[in-house]
Amino acid sequence: MDADVIVVGAGLAGLAATAELVDAGKKVLLLDQEPEASLGGQAFWSFGGLMFVDSPEQRRMGIKDSHDLALQDWLGSAGFDRLDDEDHWARQWAEAYVDFASGEKRPWLRAQGVGFFPVVGWAERGGYNADGHGNSVPRFHITWGTGPGLVAPFERRVREGVAKGLVEFRFRHRVDELTVTGGVVDGVSGKLLEPSNVVRGAASSRVEVEDFALTAQAVIVTSGGIGGNHDLVRAQWPARMGKPPENLISGVPAHVDGRMLAITEAAGGRYVNRDRMWHYVEGIRNWDPIWPLHGIRILPGPSSLWFDATGKRLPVPLFPGFDTLGTLEHIVSTGYDYSWFVLTQKIIEKEFALSGQEQNPDLTGKDIRGVLGRARGGAPAPVRAFMDKGADFIVRDNLPDLVREMNALTGEDLIDLADLERQIVARDREMDNTFTKDLQVTALRGARNYRGDKLIRVASPHKILDPKAGPLIAVKLNILTRKSLGGLQTDLDSRVLRTDGTPLPGVYAAGEVAGFGGGGVHGYRSLEGTFLGGCLFSGRTAGRAAAKAVS
């Protein structure tokens, strides 16, 4: 045997699993097809959002949360409807995860030195009934240091394992097969790729140098999802969401290719809920790209007016930040693969944030003075850069000029000035009173009842066509690939299951490749702040279970 355990994938789930194996004194080979510069995977690029339930940060902001409320929200969003089959373990993972988020998750991370921004964000607000989709209260906790701040303690623990002789990194090792002897998976084989010095996230060479084969008592698959493989995204696109979009941009690097799903399936593992996925509708093309088709997601407040490609306002409750997949399904149903925000300078200054650690240098760099500057007004520097250089931003002083440029950007005269103006004026008339029949206006006024939103997230209500709030801004929004929600089916010990429901001997899975637990812990929809946490929880579980199994 070359090691006690082989871990395939050096992202956050792989690091968490390896760290647990180190604590148990096991010898680990940590493999990844990318160079060392990409250690930490997608998590490094993330905003660092984590879902906690009844946290000190929530209580300080006046938020009353509970385990029961969080589970109600989770189940209402997940909509598990395959409980006798593909959702059998996913539902159990969901309950276990809400227990984790309500209990030891935060103190476990705090003990490793992870800190959190004091203002709790309110993602996926829903807008349906109390038992439907969405977060009833703010739960989105931003890691102090964003993605790199969350990766750091697990990377540190793994590198301590390297120093002890327990961990060996094997970068540029592309796994092509799980090897099986006597019905038991006992290793991996594949190709060693040529060395690469590309920067983190950039596409690396796929030139093969030689074969390799490694053996171990157990293999943990933590290879991520399918978001960088647009062909696979389209092939698995759910029929319930219409025809797959022709134009997509990527919220993840190209190496997020989904290869290990088919490879594990070929070895006997079961891949479930493959028609469930999580893609964003507020994607903008990165003016300074790192990976192919590099897109950035806008994290919007609730005030921007949202129009489809033909200039029709989106229906209730498809407001910014309320229902990601509901909005995606509606946009695709229009026959176009893009939509528009129309807003003001006053809104963009208060409400626009950009997802990703590199788009938030103040939070990533733990710059307290820079963070405090967000409350003083003015658009953050990364947002200003997109306004100046981004291909999807239009800034004009009046609506006729704005509409002319919107049509010019798409090359189609789909937006009718008179109709767009009619809709905006109708909404603006609703601002003359503190009461209204426009539910988006009701929602943004309600949001300002939450101290965190009023402080840094929601602009004071105003008329879109008020010159004092201008200039006017239009943003063309693209569909941005991001997460798989389905994956390898696992039991509560992260053991990969076969089609007959029994464990595939020797194989564990964690993170996105396992649907963040059970083959789809989120069901159909996410509450947000649950992807990184799902990597941590399932990675920790897999590492602990494998450590016991190989002892």
Side-chain angles (χ1 to χ4, degrees), residues 92-218:
Q92 295 181 59
W93 270 92
E95 294 178 359
Y97 186 79
V98 174
D99 290 346
F100 178 60
S102 305
E104 64 175 316
K105 179 182 177 183
R106 186 183 180 281
W108 176 62
L109 290 171
R110 288 291 296 132
Q112 297 181 71
V114 180
F116 308 102
F117 186 58
V119 179
V120 183
W122 195 354
E124 286 296 298
R125 303 182 188 212
Y128 303 94
N129 292 335
D131 58 355
H133 170 60
N135 285 293
S136 298
V137 299
R139 296 191 177 104
F140 192 83
H141 297 66
I142 301 169
T143 301
W144 188 231
T146 64
L150 189 59
V151 168
F154 296 94
E155 179 180 347
R156 182 186 67 244
R157 290 172 62 189
V158 170
R159 291 195 182 278
E160 288 171 353
V162 173
K164 294 175 182 177
L166 292 173
V167 178
E168 185 177 342
F169 288 121
R170 296 287 181 93
F171 296 106
R172 304 297 284 159
H173 281 60
R174 188 193 69 201
V175 173
D176 296 328
E177 182 183 13
L178 300 183
T179 55
V180 182
T181 302
V184 178
V185 173
D186 59 359
V188 300
S189 64
K191 299 290 186 181
L192 179 65
L193 305 178
E194 70 175 357
S196 173
N197 61 359
V198 299
V199 298
R200 179 187 291 273
S204 62
S205 164
R206 288 296 179 262
V207 174
E208 300 168 0
V209 175
E210 61 184 55
D211 297 333
F212 74 86
L214 299 165
T215 59
Q217 296 180 60

Side-chain angles (χ1 to χ4, degrees), residues 73-357:
D73 288 348
W74 191 293
L75 297 179
S77 297
F80 294 122
D81 56 7
R82 303 166 182 173
L83 291 171
D84 293 334
D85 187 19
E86 293 180 292
D87 286 338
H88 174 74
W89 287 103
R91 166 67 188 256
Q92 295 181 59
W93 270 92
E95 294 178 359
Y97 186 79
V98 174
D99 290 346
F100 178 60
S102 305
E104 64 175 316
K105 179 182 177 183
R106 186 183 180 281
W108 176 62
L109 290 171
R110 288 291 296 132
Q112 297 181 71
V114 180
F116 308 102
F117 186 58
V119 179
V120 183
W122 195 354
E124 286 296 298
R125 303 182 188 212
Y128 303 94
N129 292 335
D131 58 355
H133 170 60
N135 285 293
S136 298
V137 299
R139 296 191 177 104
F140 192 83
H141 297 66
I142 301 169
T143 301
W144 188 231
T146 64
L150 189 59
V151 168
F154 296 94
E155 179 180 347
R156 182 186 67 244
R157 290 172 62 189
V158 170
R159 291 195 182 278
E160 288 171 353
V162 173
K164 294 175 182 177
L166 292 173
V167 178
E168 185 177 342
F169 288 121
R170 296 287 181 93
F171 296 106
R172 304 297 284 159
H173 281 60
R174 188 193 69 201
V175 173
D176 296 328
E177 182 183 13
L178 300 183
T179 55
V180 182
T181 302
V184 178
V185 173
D186 59 359
V188 300
S189 64
K191 299 290 186 181
L192 179 65
L193 305 178
E194 70 175 357
S196 173
N197 61 359
V198 299
V199 298
R200 179 187 291 273
S204 62
S205 164
R206 288 296 179 262
V207 174
E208 300 168 0
V209 175
E210 61 184 55
D211 297 333
F212 74 86
L214 299 165
T215 59
Q217 296 180 60
V219 175
I220 303 178
V221 181
T222 56
S223 54
I226 68 173
N229 186 340
H230 290 186
D231 289 340
L232 190 54
V233 168
R234 292 190 180 95
Q236 297 184 179
W237 190 265
R240 64 184 176 275
M241 288 202 296
K243 183 181 177 181
E246 292 184 10
N247 299 297
L248 296 167
I249 58 177
S250 291
V252 295
H255 63 75
V256 185
D257 54 22
R259 293 181 68 256
M260 286 303 301
L261 287 160
I263 290 167
T264 309
E265 194 174 26
R270 189 182 186 208
Y271 179 12
V272 298
N273 296 314
R274 64 185 74 203
D275 64 327
R276 295 177 183 171
M277 50 187 73
W278 189 256
H279 307 304
Y280 292 112
V281 286
E282 310 99 336
I284 51 177
R285 292 170 286 176
N286 195 343
W287 63 269
D288 187 20
I290 298 172
W291 53 78
L293 299 174
H294 188 174
I296 299 294
R297 184 201 175 197
I298 296 171
L299 302 173
S303 298
S304 298
L305 296 188
W306 206 335
F307 298 92
D308 68 20
T310 67
K312 300 295 186 292
R313 194 171 168 194
L314 268 57
V316 173
L318 304 183
F319 311 136
F322 277 65
D323 180 3
T324 293
L325 286 198
T327 307
L328 174 60
E329 185 173 353
H330 177 79
I331 289 170
V332 172
S333 74
T334 68
Y336 298 90
D337 47 26
Y338 68 91
S339 60
W340 293 96
F341 277 163
V342 174
L343 61 150
T344 64
Q345 178 71 22
K346 186 174 181 179
I347 291 172
I348 204 169
E349 289 180 356
K350 192 76 172 269
E351 298 195 7
F352 267 39
L354 301 174
S355 183
Q357 59 90 5

